[in-house]
Amino acid sequence: GENVEQHPSTLSVQEGDSAVIKCTYSDSASNYFPWYKQELGKRPQLIIDIRSNVGEKKDQRIAVTLNKTAKHFSLHITETQPEDSAVYFCAGLGGNTDKLIFGTGTRLQVFP
Amino acid sequence: DTGVSQDPRHKITKRGQNVTFRCDPISEHNRLYWYRQTLGQGPEFLTYFQNEAQLEKSRLLSDRFSAERPKGSFSTLEIQRTEQGDSAMYLCASSPFPRGVLFEQYFGPGTRLTVT
C-alpha cells in the first residue's frame, strides 16, 4: 500500500541555522505533497505544498523540493526562529486516491 | 472564525459507551475528511465525503464506526461500543475540490477522545 517515510524524527538547531526534513513515498502515482506544522495541542497547519509538475517552491523562509524520479521531497527552513519549533508532517496524495498519507513527523526544536 | 470547526473539543467516555463528534467544514468546501491521530504519530485517514456521498473508507474504520454528511454540509462521526484503543485525536479537514483538480486540505482543531 501507499507509504510515506519521514526523517529525522527529531531535529535540534540553533536559531538562525537551516533545517532540512526529508520524506520518501512509495506510490509513483502520487502528485501532491503538502507539509503541515503542528504545535502542541493545536491543529495541523498547512505551510507549503508542491505539485508533481514542479521541482521546487519557495515561500519566504520555507522551500520544498521534489524529485519524482527518486520519489522523495524535502522541506527547507532557513534562518530558523524559536517560533519554528513544532512537529512537521509531510504527506502525499496519490493519483488513485484522494486521501493524504502522512509521514511520522519531525519534532523541530530551535534553540535561541 | 471561518475555519473548520469541531465539537466537542474533548470527550471522556467509559468503555462500551457510544460517542458522536461533529465537524463543520469551511463554507462551500465540498470535500470533508476524517483522520485519527494518536500521540507521536501523523494523522491516519479514516473516510471522506464529496458533498453527501461517502467516497472512501479506510480499513481502520471498523463496523463500530459510522460517518455521515446528510446534507453535504456538516458531518458526524459516531463510534459505538467504544474501546480503550479508540482513544485518540479525531481530526476533520475540508477541501474546495472542483472536479479534476487537487486542492489543499484544511484541518479543524480536533476532538480528543479518552476512553476509560
Side-chain angles (χ1 to χ4, degrees), chain A residues 55-84:
Chain A
E56 184 175 359
K57 182 177 178 180
K58 271 186 167 181
D59 183 3
Q60 300 182 334
R61 297 186 296 109
I62 294 174
V64 58
T65 58
L66 171 65
N67 183 327
K68 284 213 73 177
T69 303
K71 291 193 285 187
H72 67 70
F73 57 111
S74 300
L75 177 71
H76 305 253
I77 306 174
T78 58
E79 300 171 26
T80 53
Q81 301 168 3
E83 50 266 39
D84 294 330

Side-chain angles (χ1 to χ4, degrees), chain A residues 31-32 36 38 41-44 46 49 51 89 93 97-105, chain B residues 4 31 33 35 37 40-43 45 48 56 91 97 102-109:
Chain A
N31 49 18
Y32 172 67
Y36 287 85
Q38 189 173 32
K42 297 195 175 178
R43 72 186 76 191
L46 178 67
D49 57 17
R51 289 166 172 78
F89 292 99
L93 191 149
T97 179
D98 290 317
K99 64 189 181 192
L100 287 175
I101 305 297
F102 282 83
T104 50
Chain B
V4 179
R31 284 216 167 170
Y33 301 79
Y35 292 86
Q37 186 176 29
Q41 299 296 315
F45 169 80
Y48 84 93
E56 188 173 349
L91 292 163
F97 188 94
L102 296 171
F103 270 90
E104 304 88 354
Q105 294 185 23
Y106 297 96
F107 282 85

Side-chain angles (χ1 to χ4, degrees), chain B residues 21-107:
Chain B
F21 310 142
R22 176 179 170 128
C23 171
D24 286 87
I26 294 170
S27 179
E28 299 181 354
H29 278 197
N30 51 18
R31 284 216 167 170
L32 186 150
Y33 301 79
W34 285 99
Y35 292 86
R36 181 171 69 185
Q37 186 176 29
T38 54
L39 201 61
Q41 299 296 315
E44 294 177 293
F45 169 80
L46 293 178
T47 187
Y48 84 93
F49 295 83
Q50 175 147 331
N51 300 313
E52 63 275 9
Q54 189 172 20
L55 297 188
E56 188 173 349
K57 292 195 296 186
S58 164
R59 287 186 299 254
L60 292 175
L61 216 65
S62 76
D63 56 6
R64 297 186 298 105
F65 288 70
S66 62
E68 294 183 340
R69 195 184 183 197
K71 297 182 180 178
S73 57
F74 73 90
S75 175
T76 58
L77 177 68
E78 181 183 16
I79 309 175
Q80 295 183 327
R81 305 181 302 281
T82 51
E83 301 173 356
Q84 286 187 322
D86 297 332
S87 295
M89 176 74 85
Y90 289 83
L91 292 163
C92 176
S94 71
S95 175
F97 188 94
R99 176 178 290 277
V101 182
L102 296 171
F103 270 90
E104 304 88 354
Q105 294 185 23
Y106 297 96
F107 282 85

